[in-house]
Amino acid sequence: MTQPPPPPPNQPPQQGAFGPPEQPQDAVPQDGVPQGPAPEGAPPFRPPAPPPAPPGGPRLSQSPEGPLPHQAPVADQLRKNAQAAQAAQAAQAPQPQPQPQPQPGHGQPTPPQPQPGYGYPATAPPPPQPQPGYGYPGAPQPQPGYGYPAAPPQPPQPQPGYGYPGAAPQQPSPYGAPAPYGQQPGYGHPGQPMTVPMQSHAPAAPAGGRRMNASMVIIVAAVAAIALIIGGGVWYAKSSGGGGQDGPTASGGTGGGDDKGGVAQGSEKVPSDPGAKALFQLPMPTVAKDDSVAVDGSWLTDKAYVKSGVAEIVGYDRDKGTELWSVKLPGPVCAASRQTDDDGRTAIVFQPKMPPKDSTAGCTQVAAIDLNAGTRLWTKTVTSGDALIDFDNVTVSAHTVAVGSTDGGAAFDITSGKVLWSPKTSDTCYDAGYGGGAKLVAVRKCGAYDAPQLHIQTIDPVSGKVLSEYKMATDIEYAGVVSTDPLVVAADVGDSAGDGSGISDFFSIDNRTGELRTRISAPGDAYAAECDSIDTPEACTGLTVGNDRLYVATEERDDNADGARSNSIVAFDLATGKQTGQRADSGTGYTLFPLRMDGGNVIAYKEPPYDKGGQVVSIDGGSFKETTLLENTDSEDARETESDMSPEYSEILYSQGRLYLADTYADAGSGGDKGYLAIAFGTSG
């Protein structure tokens, strides 16, 4: 359940950042973080971004070593080079040159002429001439290409394009994009295709057959260097792909390309027979009548399906459902990380005791759980003054456990429980929550209660140092972290979604620079993704991210007069914000629900019609070809059990022919039907 955040403290201090903790202890004082010598208030200083490139020019990213040396427009540099060349020519005393011979008119025979050597006067003995290749002109012609104007260079002319002097001033976007919504070029990609002329190893001779002097050689080398820098910058930006993702492959596939230019191969095997049967059902735990208890959290290991119960975490055999181990807790689980580290460890927040009916004992306890060994590694609390902090959310990134709330947060080493850092709350800012996984992202809320501003910060999980930051507009109150690498957040801008989904727009952010790559409009009446970002920024469903694309489920639509429903999954490019044209349709009566990525493929659950069993499909990230991995039995008992686990409100996990659906609340049920805590289906292939 969600609670609105309390108003900020009466004394609004200055905005802080992350600082080193005091000596680790079980009860960590939130406001006892010592001040370090470095300033503690804002993200690291970054110089202003260079002006955007003109239309057709490259929009280059900044390399880790600093700004690339070709931030000025290339056209201006070329004009400067040409002007320098003319000055150098004037400073020398050129030898008299023979007058060019008049050219015969079109269709007239050409009289025999002595043939001077390439770049030599006619009086000099000509050197041996190479035979011209196919299509090569009979004699050298003036080249007006890169760096060699055929006529004296003209003064720069105002261009009516974005970023050129003389253009109409652009209005700044309220969301940080320098161009109008929907037209911002993607990170590391030029607004139009960039063409770099191919240069021969020996530059073409200047007009008039004059010999190239030293000044011209220097200028040619400078021009070639600029061309190489441009090409190298674009290659660097595309190869990094924004957020560490591979860019499009040669064949049009994206992300993690294989030898054939397609998307990265997944690990899910296609069974010889996708037909599945019910493997086991876990009974609903006993709770008081008319009461409900949160049972958030489910995970998969190589051997176990792990599920939160009432005041416990239990590991079950993946195929049989028999109990393998149990971690007892003094109270119910409040929040559970969706993420694990490489060693199969995760984190939870729980209450210190069983509360009376319809109440809570406070979500003050943080613990790390080893899912392979079935043990609780440690338990910690954090204080603000004399009071224990109630936490709303928890996640894991690398080997760091991060917890957040309106009252403060903390980060612990997942192995030892040592306090790594704590965000400052002695000001008008606090870390509302975190997104984990590949990177650690904080949703930091600052400003007045009635006019907050969200800071989306990529932070170092060990030190808490802010690596990059994007400030959202002040009409955005909450944000969900859809993905941390590449960084994608969702928000309901101006409460415009209108459907309770918490999403009207997605924001694709470069988590190395903090710059907005693009903004994607996702009206609530068109798309079915949801984020419960008030308390839990990481709780987003109905979407997934991979191949530098966002895959989102659409709302259901009527297929025929009988009221049969269907929907689709569509893809958005995270660099341009535009749909890629890829679409996977659910088929009449089914509803597609994306779960996660498998390499470059999308794993999706198909919620079935009343007379069918559900399916799990793999959608190829390049071709969008759909492959059925599992199809549940359509027996009446199995259908009824499956229909109780709506994907909008349930935890759904799939791996290697096994599908697990679980509830997030335990209750007494109605009419004596207690239902199930979790159910499992599996194929035989």
Side-chain angles (χ1 to χ4, degrees), residues 258-329:
D258 58 18
D259 294 339
K260 299 178 181 179
V263 299
Q265 295 297 312
S267 61
E268 296 295 344
K269 299 177 181 178
V270 179
S272 57
D273 179 7
K277 63 179 181 180
L279 298 177
F280 60 84
Q281 301 88 25
L282 301 179
M284 186 67 72
T286 301
V287 297
K289 185 179 180 180
D290 300 326
D291 194 13
S292 64
V293 178
V295 287
D296 287 318
S298 58
W299 305 266
L300 278 174
T301 72
D302 292 340
K303 297 180 180 179
Y305 168 66
V306 184
K307 179 72 185 100
S308 296
V310 174
E312 64 177 355
I313 308 290
V314 183
Y316 302 91
D317 183 277
R318 288 179 54 135
D319 293 333
K320 302 175 183 178
T322 52
E323 184 173 316
L324 300 178
W325 51 262
S326 176
V327 174
K328 301 299 181 182
L329 303 170

Side-chain angles (χ1 to χ4, degrees), residues 311-312 328-335 348-356 359-367 376 379-382 388-391:
E312 64 177 355
K328 301 299 181 182
L329 303 170
V333 174
C334 303
I348 59 171
V349 172
F350 62 94
Q351 300 182 44
K353 62 181 180 180
M354 290 300 299
S359 67
T360 177
C363 298
T364 58
Q365 313 293 303
V366 185
R376 182 174 11 158
T379 300
K380 298 289 181 179
T381 60
V382 181
L388 292 175
I389 292 179
D390 282 333
F391 293 110

Side-chain angles (χ1 to χ4, degrees), residues 149-440:
Q154 299 298 319
Q157 299 297 320
Q159 300 295 325
Y162 175 70
Y164 271 79
Q170 299 289 330
Q171 296 298 322
S173 167
Y175 300 99
Y181 166 61
Q183 300 183 23
Q184 168 67 16
Y187 168 73
H189 297 274
Q192 298 176 4
M194 187 192 75
T195 302
V196 179
M198 293 297 292
Q199 302 290 332
S200 63
H201 292 290
R210 288 197 300 260
R211 195 171 190 173
M212 186 178 297
N213 56 37
S215 299
M216 186 63 73
V217 171
I218 294 173
I219 293 170
V220 171
V223 171
I226 292 172
L228 288 174
I229 291 171
I230 294 171
V234 172
W235 176 87
Y236 172 81
K238 287 187 177 181
S239 66
S240 64
Q245 299 297 305
D246 290 333
T249 61
S251 66
T254 56
D258 58 18
D259 294 339
K260 299 178 181 179
V263 299
Q265 295 297 312
S267 61
E268 296 295 344
K269 299 177 181 178
V270 179
S272 57
D273 179 7
K277 63 179 181 180
L279 298 177
F280 60 84
Q281 301 88 25
L282 301 179
M284 186 67 72
T286 301
V287 297
K289 185 179 180 180
D290 300 326
D291 194 13
S292 64
V293 178
V295 287
D296 287 318
S298 58
W299 305 266
L300 278 174
T301 72
D302 292 340
K303 297 180 180 179
Y305 168 66
V306 184
K307 179 72 185 100
S308 296
V310 174
E312 64 177 355
I313 308 290
V314 183
Y316 302 91
D317 183 277
R318 288 179 54 135
D319 293 333
K320 302 175 183 178
T322 52
E323 184 173 316
L324 300 178
W325 51 262
S326 176
V327 174
K328 301 299 181 182
L329 303 170
V333 174
C334 303
S337 171
R338 297 183 173 192
Q339 312 292 341
T340 61
D341 73 353
D342 294 338
D343 297 318
R345 298 173 294 188
T346 191
I348 59 171
V349 172
F350 62 94
Q351 300 182 44
K353 62 181 180 180
M354 290 300 299
K357 180 181 176 181
D358 298 328
S359 67
T360 177
C363 298
T364 58
Q365 313 293 303
V366 185
I369 306 294
D370 188 326
L371 300 174
N372 290 318
T375 58
R376 182 174 11 158
L377 300 176
W378 47 261
T379 300
K380 298 289 181 179
T381 60
V382 181
T383 61
S384 178
D386 296 331
L388 292 175
I389 292 179
D390 282 333
F391 293 110
D392 298 322
N393 51 78
V394 60
T395 194
V396 172
S397 179
H399 298 295
T400 296
V401 174
V403 286
S405 75
T406 58
D407 296 323
F412 305 90
D413 179 81
I414 198 169
T415 302
S416 64
K418 175 185 176 182
V419 181
L420 299 176
W421 46 264
S422 296
K424 287 188 172 299
T425 56
S426 58
D427 52 21
T428 57
C429 295
Y430 63 90
D431 283 7
Y434 302 94
K439 295 184 183 295
L440 185 60

Side-chain angles (χ1 to χ4, degrees), residues 319-609:
D319 293 333
K320 302 175 183 178
T322 52
E323 184 173 316
L324 300 178
W325 51 262
S326 176
V327 174
K328 301 299 181 182
L329 303 170
V333 174
C334 303
S337 171
R338 297 183 173 192
Q339 312 292 341
T340 61
D341 73 353
D342 294 338
D343 297 318
R345 298 173 294 188
T346 191
I348 59 171
V349 172
F350 62 94
Q351 300 182 44
K353 62 181 180 180
M354 290 300 299
K357 180 181 176 181
D358 298 328
S359 67
T360 177
C363 298
T364 58
Q365 313 293 303
V366 185
I369 306 294
D370 188 326
L371 300 174
N372 290 318
T375 58
R376 182 174 11 158
L377 300 176
W378 47 261
T379 300
K380 298 289 181 179
T381 60
V382 181
T383 61
S384 178
D386 296 331
L388 292 175
I389 292 179
D390 282 333
F391 293 110
D392 298 322
N393 51 78
V394 60
T395 194
V396 172
S397 179
H399 298 295
T400 296
V401 174
V403 286
S405 75
T406 58
D407 296 323
F412 305 90
D413 179 81
I414 198 169
T415 302
S416 64
K418 175 185 176 182
V419 181
L420 299 176
W421 46 264
S422 296
K424 287 188 172 299
T425 56
S426 58
D427 52 21
T428 57
C429 295
Y430 63 90
D431 283 7
Y434 302 94
K439 295 184 183 295
L440 185 60
V441 172
V443 178
R444 188 165 179 82
K445 202 167 190 177
C446 297
Y449 182 74
D450 57 349
Q453 184 178 46
L454 299 183
H455 298 201
I456 308 301
Q457 299 176 332
T458 299
I459 56 182
D460 183 275
V462 177
S463 67
K465 177 183 178 182
V466 177
L467 304 177
S468 68
E469 179 179 64
Y470 173 72
K471 295 181 180 179
M472 305 191 79
T474 54
D475 61 343
I476 301 175
E477 193 170 0
Y478 304 103
V481 181
V482 176
S483 167
T484 61
D485 188 18
L487 178 53
V488 181
V489 298
D492 187 357
V493 180
D495 297 325
S496 60
D499 62 349
S501 65
I503 302 174
S504 69
D505 295 81
F506 295 99
F507 296 80
S508 173
I509 303 168
D510 183 343
N511 53 14
R512 293 183 300 171
T513 66
E515 295 180 354
L516 182 69
R517 298 175 67 193
T518 191
R519 176 185 171 193
I520 300 169
S521 177
D525 59 355
Y527 299 98
E530 296 185 8
C531 285
D532 182 17
S533 51
I534 295 177
D535 291 328
T536 315
E538 206 172 35
C540 295
T541 58
L543 41 67
T544 190
V545 172
N547 306 320
D548 207 33
R549 294 176 180 178
L550 169 68
Y551 301 95
V552 188
T554 68
E555 290 285 2
E556 292 182 331
R557 57 183 177 268
D558 291 328
D559 266 4
N560 53 43
D562 296 333
R565 310 280 283 173
S566 67
N567 81 323
S568 305
I569 292 176
V570 296
F572 290 90
D573 190 307
L574 291 177
T576 66
K578 298 179 180 179
Q579 285 198 32
T580 65
Q582 297 165 307
R583 174 181 293 267
D585 293 321
S586 65
T588 300
Y590 290 90
T591 303
L592 266 172
F593 194 83
L595 300 177
R596 61 174 175 85
M597 299 300 298
D598 174 39
N601 303 327
V602 178
I603 301 297
Y605 173 69
K606 275 190 173 183
E607 188 177 16

